[in-house]
Amino acid sequence: MRVNLTVNGRPQEADDVWEGESLLYVLRERMGLPGSKNACEQGECGSCTVRLDGVPVCSCLVAAGQAEGREVVTVEGLAESARQRAGGGAATGARGAESASLDAARRWQAGGTDSQTGENIELAPVQQAFIDAGAVQCGFCTPGLLVAADELLERHPNPSDEDIREALSGNLCRCTGYEKIMDAVRLAAARRSEEA
Amino acid sequence: MAANGAPTGLTQGARTKGGIGESTLRPDGVLKVTGEFAYASDMWHEDMLWGQILRSTVAHAEIVSVDTSEALATPGVHAVLTYDDLPTDVRHYGLEIRDTPVLAHGKVRHHGEPVAIVAADHPETARRAAAKIKVEYRELPVVTDEASATAPDAVLVHENRTDLPLSPPTSSGAGGTPVIPHVPHPNIVHRQPIVRGDATAAAGRADVIVEGDYYFGMQDQAFLGPESGLAVPGEDGGVDLYIATQWLHSDLRQIAPVLGLPEDKVRMTLSGVGGAFGGREDLSMQIHACLLALRTGRPVKIVYNRFESFFGHVHRHPARLHYEHGATRDGRLTHVKCRIVLDGGAYASASPAVVGNAASLSVGPYVVDDVDIEALALYSNNPPCGAMRGFGAVQACFAYEAQMDKVAAELGLDPVEFRRINAMEQGTLMPTGQPVDSPAPVAELLRRVKAMPMPPERQWESSEGADVRQLPGGLSNTTHGEGVVRGVGYAVGIKNVGFSEGFDDYSTARVRLEAAGGRPVVTVHTAMAEVGQGGVTVHAQIARTELGVSQVTIRPADTQVGSAGSTSASRQTYVTGGAVKHACELVRERVLELGRRRFGSYHPAWATAELLLEGGKVVTDGGEVLADLVDVLEDEAVEVEAEWRHRPTEPFDRRTGQGNGHVQYSFAAHRAVVEVDTELGLVKVIELACAQDVGKALNPLSVIGQIQGGTVQGLGIAVMEEIVVDPVTAKVRNPSFTDYLLPTILDTPALPVDVLELADDHAPYGLRGVGEAPTLSSTPAVLAAIRNATGLALDRTPVRPEHLTGTAGADGT
């Protein structure tokens, strides 16, 4: 079947989708958006969290056909959607991530001077906060956590620790022990209230 | 700054930023937060096929027949391979003993063992084709514990056990240590006794003797990024493998002989690794992907799902431990006797080394002159067990710390005070007779963790009632706190750093310094697996510190450079960090030689002074600038590849366990505060504070992250994590994230960390491996706190509700 949906502000279609394919599979394998991660594929870990018409969902549990005609925001579109929320002007379409092709893998280098690596890349505040707070280690849980945290902060700009823990309780992280993830969300909230 | 050659004072600002000791940020952080970092499961090639593995549905059986014809006839299927299709006579692999079949031959020895592999054009096609392979099994009795392993009529797990020694070390790869086990039964993989002094005589001097039996459950690494890789056949008949692993060269050494290829035709590149924790030390799908790629002539990608991941890697050894401690009335330990039985499962993996660790670290960080220790690992038909963070020391720490509390209680002493009285310090002899020749601040760590402020009592209570989110049971609203009691517990542990027992534990680094675009630029190339721990961050910091250059590029890890050894045993910052430092020092020497040749006549300091590289310049130790690096280098690139080794270790004596077997020790202490709902049998850890000595924090932010992560893995094993294996069938009951419980952010408390930096003079910058020690002591601290809250004995991990409510069966399950 053919599936049409809007991903990160850009209309997308996928052909020859098998009825059993998940939204996660279509995003990763058919649309070249591997940012949403495939850690458990049974809705337990939250690594594949995307927003479907604004609501955080585990994309592994959404059949691709269920997303027909709907709006999806993935980690690849977080920066652009944050910019639009902040009134950053006309949408030019989110920066589509390159497919993680073999060439991209070969080209990968940890270059530059650490945090300055991303100088020219626009990040959502919550993305920058995750980097600054040391909340990224292996990073496999990071995309899902970012989508969930971004949604929390949109809904609840000054969350208490209990609010943060509740909002992120569907996202497993095996590396950090969560403390630095707490720090990151607190930091993003604090920076936002400073700006306001 | 002054012109080239003219002396001038070096300003403060010229010091190169981003060196060691600073919390510089991860160089891969931006890619990871934007979703662009290419993990192994993200690899993609336009012509690629998908691989799938068919696994055994039973734990122990003869394979009567395998019929692949229907699978092979499925449209979209390009290959179906079994043991009979393997290209060479080398059909087994293994880290220490080559006992693991690439595909099952004749029999299967554990639930989930690979039997056949399929390549197809869609992952679902591959899965359905694999399901069409007909395997007929004739089931055999299962070996599941020590009694069934050593019974007079016991079935042998490896009926023709030969323990093939590994090939000798090669110049390009990591060699192995031949293992010739000294064991009393073929179902025992390895056994290590340690005898020092006379424990029986010492027991006669004890005022109290306390015995205990403990069980430690099977834990899973549960890294989030599933086992994945992409194999691409090369035009030269070789293969390129993009893979998430912990040690590229160890994989290479095991893969190439099975494929019948020389090592230089198996080119391996590290792809993004989503966590490891020991679970990627063994091969998973590496050979399978290569076999399918070479057979089909197409790139083949394999991605495990979570169910398969639970079968596709080794777990932490479950253990039964018996301890006897004696002490005098004034609180001094007289002796320790212990016996540790680790279940290694169907294949050896790292079991011999885990046994060595469990034995040599079984007494903990205490002074005991008279010990009688035995540790062994079984072969069984349970899932294979091998490396996991803490590696044998974790199981022992759980038991000896429980014992320390019991002895203290028997003596009427405060448990922390009792530990302090017996705490080892620099100079103490290990049970192996090895002196601890660097700081061992055990008493100080306990003092610090005890001195941290306590979290307030009953935080969940307010005038408006209870915030159920903070109670044991959380959002399920099952209580309002009526049955909640608090407890506090302490524990401390000792872990070895690096590979032990005489292993040649070296690393290699290639460092290049050149001028590019008018600036000096450093490139660091190692084969170190970055698995999330932050090695790429500290390598850049080390290069900046040693070469005074801010622009550092870390090349992707691959087998085009010499081995870096494994990303495990808390060793990479020490060993590969040491190799980067060493290579930088050699580069610096060559640069200064170049400078002397070019500019030596301009200033006498070139010949006489101690020269440094700082801020992109050559300076004297007094701060005088002699030259810009770009002028010294001109068009020349200075490149050095060098190996680096820490001090050698030696094997433990087979009978007495004596020997200088370890390189370095690390120490951590925890204080756990828990609240237990005694009616519901639920535990909430309120706070888990840690004090750890790291020698030198090269990157404080990463150090804290490692300590907190390790702490929570210890919390997991204390209260929820366990792979449950059916004791009758040896089948795994809970291979999913639904049934294998991991701590969520709601289960995880505040994790205050106090970092101590007492330099180890033998290590680069004085550093001490960080990642593992916190996993040791957090589990017994939580258990101690739960015992303190409930008054229950609690002798197993994880503690489940039935253990707290008294509704568990006689076997604790």
Side-chain angles (χ1 to χ4, degrees):
Chain A
M1 65 179 173
R2 169 176 291 188
V3 178
N4 296 283
L5 61 164
T6 303
V7 183
N8 300 329
R10 186 183 290 175
Q12 297 263 22
E13 62 177 42
D15 282 323
D16 301 324
V17 174
W18 166 64
E19 288 79 354
E21 279 178 20
S22 65
L23 174 59
L24 175 64
Y25 184 88
V26 168
L27 290 170
R28 287 176 55 79
E29 304 297 340
R30 297 190 180 275
M31 294 179 173
L33 292 167
S36 309
K37 291 296 166 221
N38 55 316
C40 79
E41 298 182 72
Q42 58 177 181
E44 293 288 348
C45 75
S47 303
C48 65
T49 304
V50 301
R51 292 178 74 171
L52 184 62
D53 290 342
V55 180
V57 296
C58 289
S59 60
C60 69
L61 294 185
V62 177
Q66 285 179 287
E68 173 67 33
R70 298 171 76 177
E71 297 257 356
V72 175
V73 176
T74 72
V75 70
E76 288 97 338
L78 266 195
E80 173 65 13
S81 84
R83 199 170 67 83
Q84 285 184 27
R85 277 207 304 270
T92 53
R95 192 167 56 90
E98 269 183 61
S99 159
S101 67
L102 203 54
D103 280 348
R106 282 197 181 115
R107 283 202 309 271
W108 181 82
Q109 299 206 338
T113 48
D114 294 344
S115 56
Q116 287 76 25
T117 315
E119 252 174 6
N120 301 319
I121 297 178
E122 187 191 8
L123 296 177
V126 71
Q127 290 173 312
Q128 190 63 53
F130 265 63
I131 294 175
D132 294 343
V136 180
Q137 290 188 19
C138 92
F140 210 79
C141 67
T142 304
L145 275 162
L146 285 169
V147 172
D150 186 60
E151 192 272 342
L152 166 71
L153 291 170
E154 188 185 357
R155 181 162 46 83
H156 203 330
N158 289 303
S160 67
D161 283 1
E162 284 67 39
D163 295 330
I164 300 171
R165 290 189 194 277
E166 190 177 338
L168 302 184
S169 61
N171 294 76
L172 292 174
C173 168
R174 189 54 157 169
C175 294
T176 63
Y178 301 107
E179 189 83 334
K180 297 209 172 294
I181 291 168
M182 294 294 297
D183 289 346
V185 180
R186 292 175 191 133
L187 180 64
R191 283 177 177 168
R192 191 160 146 157
S193 63
E194 271 172 30
E195 281 171 19
Chain B
M1 300 305 285
N4 168 39
T8 179
L10 184 68
T11 64
Q12 279 257 288
R15 202 181 73 78
T16 312
K17 287 207 177 93
I20 62 159
E22 293 181 39
S23 287
T24 59
L25 300 179
R26 298 186 67 94
D28 52 8
V30 170
L31 289 171
K32 285 179 173 176
V33 299
T34 53
E36 290 173 74
F37 186 79
Y39 292 91
S41 57
D42 302 333
M43 294 289 139
W44 182 86
H45 195 291
E46 56 185 327
D47 299 322
M48 77 183 186
L49 301 172
W50 293 76
Q52 177 69 40
I53 295 147
L54 175 73
R55 292 174 180 277
S56 163
T57 55
V58 294
H60 198 200
E62 283 175 27
I63 298 174
V64 178
S65 64
V66 182
D67 179 0
T68 60
S69 54
E70 200 182 332
L72 204 48
T74 305
V77 169
H78 290 249
V80 181
L81 305 180
T82 68
Y83 178 89
D84 294 333
D85 300 302
L86 295 177
T88 74
D89 290 338
V90 182
R91 295 174 177 198
H92 293 74
Y93 64 89
L95 283 176
E96 301 189 38
I97 299 172
R98 193 183 283 150
D99 65 355
T100 312
V102 174
L103 291 166
H105 174 54
K107 65 195 265 190
V108 291
R109 295 183 176 83
H110 69 92
H111 183 202
E113 180 164 350
V115 175
I117 49 177
V118 178
D121 56 10
H122 188 286
E124 187 59 24
T125 310
R127 271 193 286 274
R128 290 181 180 190
K132 290 179 187 170
I133 299 171
K134 295 188 185 75
V135 186
E136 191 186 336
Y137 297 107
R138 184 182 300 128
E139 290 202 51
L140 297 166
V142 288
V143 171
T144 57
D145 56 13
E146 188 179 15
S148 57
T150 57
D153 57 346
V155 173
L156 299 187
V157 177
H158 293 271
E159 60 283 12
N160 299 312
R161 187 174 168 187
T162 52
D163 289 0
L164 293 174
L166 299 171
S167 56
T170 62
S171 57
S172 64
T177 309
V179 174
I180 303 145
H182 174 76
V183 292
H185 191 284
N187 278 343
I188 292 172
V189 188
H190 186 72
R191 174 177 171 271
Q192 179 65 61
I194 298 179
V195 182
R196 202 165 74 84
D198 185 339
T200 303
R205 298 192 297 273
D207 293 315
V208 298
I209 290 180
V210 171
E211 290 186 69
D213 285 284
Y214 303 91
Y215 178 74
F216 195 98
M218 186 187 291
Q219 189 180 19
D220 190 68
Q221 296 83 356
F223 43 73
L224 286 194
E227 288 90 340
S228 311
L230 175 65
V232 184
E235 286 174 6
D236 62 349
V239 63
D240 287 89
L241 180 61
Y242 298 83
I243 187 72
T245 181
Q246 287 177 244
W247 187 358
L248 288 165
H249 288 81
S250 167
D251 287 7
L252 175 62
R253 176 172 51 76
Q254 296 172 78
I255 296 168
V258 177
L259 301 179
L261 291 171
E263 289 189 357
D264 62 0
K265 284 202 171 181
V266 181
R267 295 162 293 259
M268 298 184 54
T269 305
L270 188 76
S271 53
V273 185
F277 316 115
R280 299 187 206 265
E281 271 194 27
D282 297 75
L283 296 180
S284 55
M285 38 56 66
Q286 282 89 329
I287 297 176
H288 299 148
C290 291
L291 286 169
L292 289 170
L294 291 168
R295 172 61 74 101
T296 61
R298 299 263 296 265
V300 173
K301 171 172 167 172
I302 297 181
V303 180
Y304 285 1
N305 61 26
R306 183 55 52 180
F307 178 82
E308 188 169 23
S309 178
F310 274 97
F311 294 105
H313 61 254
V314 300
H315 315 291
R316 187 193 297 291
H317 289 74
R320 291 194 182 278
L321 311 97
H322 176 81
Y323 269 78
E324 175 186 310
H325 280 71
T328 54
R329 190 57 61 195
D330 62 354
R332 293 191 186 277
L333 286 169
T334 54
H335 72 287
V336 174
K337 294 182 182 180
C338 77
R339 186 161 189 276
I340 301 173
V341 178
L342 301 152
D343 187 344
Y347 297 106
S349 180
S351 283
V354 172
V355 166
N357 263 20
S360 59
L361 302 168
S362 61
V363 170
Y366 303 110
V367 181
V368 189
D369 292 326
D370 298 281
V371 299
D372 186 352
I373 295 160
E374 179 188 26
L376 57 86
L378 305 171
Y379 271 129
S380 74
N381 297 114
N382 290 324
C385 289
M388 185 176 171
R389 194 177 202 164
F391 204 84
V394 162
Q395 295 91 331
C397 186
F398 163 66
Y400 64 67
E401 285 300 87
Q403 283 285 105
M404 293 299 279
D405 284 345
K406 275 171 103 167
V407 181
E410 191 72 24
L411 292 170
L413 288 173
D414 173 79
V416 174
E417 175 61 13
F418 175 59
R419 286 174 172 82
R420 196 195 59 73
I421 292 170
N422 294 286
M424 69 163 47
E425 49 195 25
Q426 186 160 355
T428 296
L429 294 186
M430 295 291 290
T432 56
Q434 180 172 18
V436 176
D437 63 357
S438 63
V442 177
E444 173 64 8
L445 292 172
L446 284 163
R447 190 192 67 74
R448 282 174 177 247
V449 82
K450 192 171 183 181
M452 287 192 195
M454 286 287 281
E457 301 263 350
R458 300 172 84 85
Q459 270 175 296
W460 39 270
E461 218 167 31
S462 72
S463 54
E464 290 150 40
D467 179 351
V468 295
R469 296 180 300 182
Q470 295 188 47
L471 283 168
L475 288 166
S476 49
N477 197 29
T478 40
T479 175
H480 288 242
E482 297 84 354
V484 172
V485 290
R486 174 180 274 207
V488 181
Y490 293 86
V492 59
I494 176 171
K495 174 71 184 55
N496 61 321
V497 172
F499 284 12
S500 299
E501 300 187 55
F503 192 86
D504 184 16
D505 193 24
Y506 71 97
S507 183
T508 315
R510 189 184 294 157
V511 173
R512 181 183 174 93
L513 174 62
E514 63 199 312
R519 301 168 65 191
V521 177
V522 176
T523 307
V524 176
H525 188 188
T526 77
M528 177 203 69
E530 167 62 47
V531 303
Q533 84 279 19
V536 289
T537 323
V538 296
H539 289 178
Q541 292 177 263
I542 291 169
R544 285 190 204 107
T545 297
E546 296 301 325
L547 295 174
V549 167
S550 61
Q551 181 73 33
V552 179
T553 298
I554 307 295
R555 276 195 52 180
D558 56 33
T559 50
Q560 308 303 305
V561 61
S563 176
S566 185
T567 301
S568 38
S570 301
R571 66 179 282 288
Q572 279 295 19
T573 301
Y574 191 135
V575 186
T576 301
V580 171
K581 178 172 186 279
H582 176 57
C584 285
E585 288 162 352
L586 297 175
V587 166
R588 187 168 62 217
E589 280 173 29
R590 290 203 196 166
V591 166
L592 293 176
E593 188 49 44
L594 211 55
R596 280 187 200 101
R597 279 214 305 273
R598 292 203 169 128
F599 302 113
S601 59
Y602 291 99
H603 197 294
W606 281 105
T608 57
E610 178 91 359
L611 300 182
L612 311 169
L613 306 186
E614 277 281 14
K617 295 166 197 303
V618 179
V619 301
T620 67
D621 56 355
E624 267 189 298
V625 173
L626 297 184
D628 274 319
L629 268 180
V630 287
D631 297 322
V632 173
L633 290 163
E634 290 183 345
D635 293 335
E636 225 165 307
V638 177
E639 181 175 295
V640 171
E641 177 174 329
E643 288 180 0
W644 188 80
R645 286 168 167 77
H646 56 62
R647 294 185 290 166
T649 60
E650 58 193 36
F652 299 129
D653 182 273
R654 291 263 178 230
R655 288 178 305 107
T656 66
Q658 299 302 292
N660 294 332
H662 295 312
V663 182
Q664 184 190 58
Y665 302 98
S666 64
F667 305 91
H670 278 92
R671 180 188 69 199
V673 182
V674 305
E675 287 180 346
V676 182
D677 190 313
T678 52
E679 294 170 350
L680 298 171
L682 297 174
V683 176
K684 177 143 181 117
V685 182
I686 300 299
E687 187 193 80
L688 197 39
C690 181
Q692 184 170 343
D693 175 24
V694 303
K696 164 76 181 172
L698 264 53
N699 185 306
L701 189 69
S702 299
V703 161
I704 304 278
Q706 284 295 302
I707 294 172
Q708 291 173 333
T711 295
V712 171
Q713 288 192 347
L715 183 160
I717 191 67
V719 296
M720 62 182 78
E721 292 186 39
E722 184 177 15
I723 291 185
V724 181
V725 182
D726 188 299
V728 176
T729 63
K731 286 192 187 184
V732 179
R733 283 175 172 168
N734 59 342
S736 74
F737 277 178
T738 306
D739 298 311
Y740 181 89
L741 302 181
L742 289 161
T744 70
I745 199 166
L746 276 174
D747 303 308
T748 306
L751 306 164
V753 176
D754 185 359
V755 170
L756 194 58
E757 294 182 280
L758 299 180
D760 176 352
D761 291 339
H762 308 287
Y765 308 113
L767 71 83
R768 207 181 270 285
V770 175
E772 295 182 290
T775 312
L776 271 62
S777 45
S778 78
T779 308
V782 171
L783 262 291
I786 302 172
R787 290 187 198 107
N788 180 246
T790 62
L792 297 167
L794 303 176
D795 55 6
R796 88 183 300 279
T797 67
V799 174
R800 288 199 291 256
E802 56 267 36
H803 305 130
L804 297 172
T805 54
T807 48
D811 61 350
T813 57

